Structures are given as C-alpha cells and as structure tokens.
C-alpha cells in the first residue's frame, strides 16, 4: 500500500464507517495520546520499566499503525499530500544533513 492509497482508504473509512472526521484539534490530541502509547510500550520493551498486565499483549506494530492512522487523518483534513510532503522532506534532509552525520564524532 502506498501512502496515497493509505490516505484514500482512511478517507473512505472515515466518511463511511467513521461518519466524519473529528476536528483537527481533537485529532491532534488523539495523535498525542497514540504517541504516548508507543512511548509507554517502548519504555517497557526496550527500557527499564516492567510490563503491567494491561500492557503485556500490546504490539509495537499496532501502536505505530495507530499513530500513522491519526497522522494521515490530520493530513487528509488539512489537505496535505503526505507522499509529496515526505519527498520534499527527504530533499530537505539530503541537502541540510549531507555531511552532518558523517562528520559527527559522536556517531563513530
């Protein structure tokens, strides 16, 4: 699935099953909540925190997909083509960071 296809499928789902988009501000709050769930899982899986019973069956892939879902909802409702945005972002990073990481002594 391409990013464009994902945006289209999410839009279709929202407008049929989901009835309508939540407001942009509500979706921003939901995005923050979903990122928090990723952080919680990462702290338990890769950090020092122990799992609670309620977190033990959560999967990182599913939590990351939740983040992507809401991010693409926000893109849809604000008119952002995420394929074009990501391509532009790659170009920016390729110019700005062409030598930055290679010359970083902390990464050697």
């Amino acid at each position: 699935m391409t990013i464009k296809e994902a945006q289209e499928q999410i839009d279709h789902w929202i407008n049929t099953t989901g009835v309508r988009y939540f407001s942009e501000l509500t979706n921003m709050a939901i995005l923050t909540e979903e990122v928090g769930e990723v952080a919680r899982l990462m702290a338990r899986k890769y950090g020092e925190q122990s799992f609670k019973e309620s977190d033990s069956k959560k999967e990182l892939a599913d939590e990351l997909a939740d983040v992507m879902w809401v991010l693409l909802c926000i893109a849809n409702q604000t008119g952002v083509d995420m394929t074009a945005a990501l391509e532009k972002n790659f170009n920016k990073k390729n110019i700005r960071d062409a030598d930055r990481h290679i010359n970083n002594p902390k990464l050697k």
Side-chain angles (χ1 to χ4, degrees), residues 19-57:
V19 180
R20 66 169 179 80
Y21 284 92
F22 294 130
S23 73
E24 296 85 350
L25 186 56
T26 298
N27 272 336
M28 185 62 230
I30 293 169
L31 178 61
T32 303
E33 179 183 322
E34 295 297 350
V35 169
E37 291 178 18
V38 170
R40 181 182 185 96
L41 187 55
M42 294 290 291
R44 282 155 178 74
K45 186 167 183 164
Y46 300 102
E48 286 75 37
Q49 283 195 326
S50 60
F51 275 91
K52 294 180 180 178
E53 182 62 33
S54 60
D55 295 324
S56 64
K57 294 184 178 153

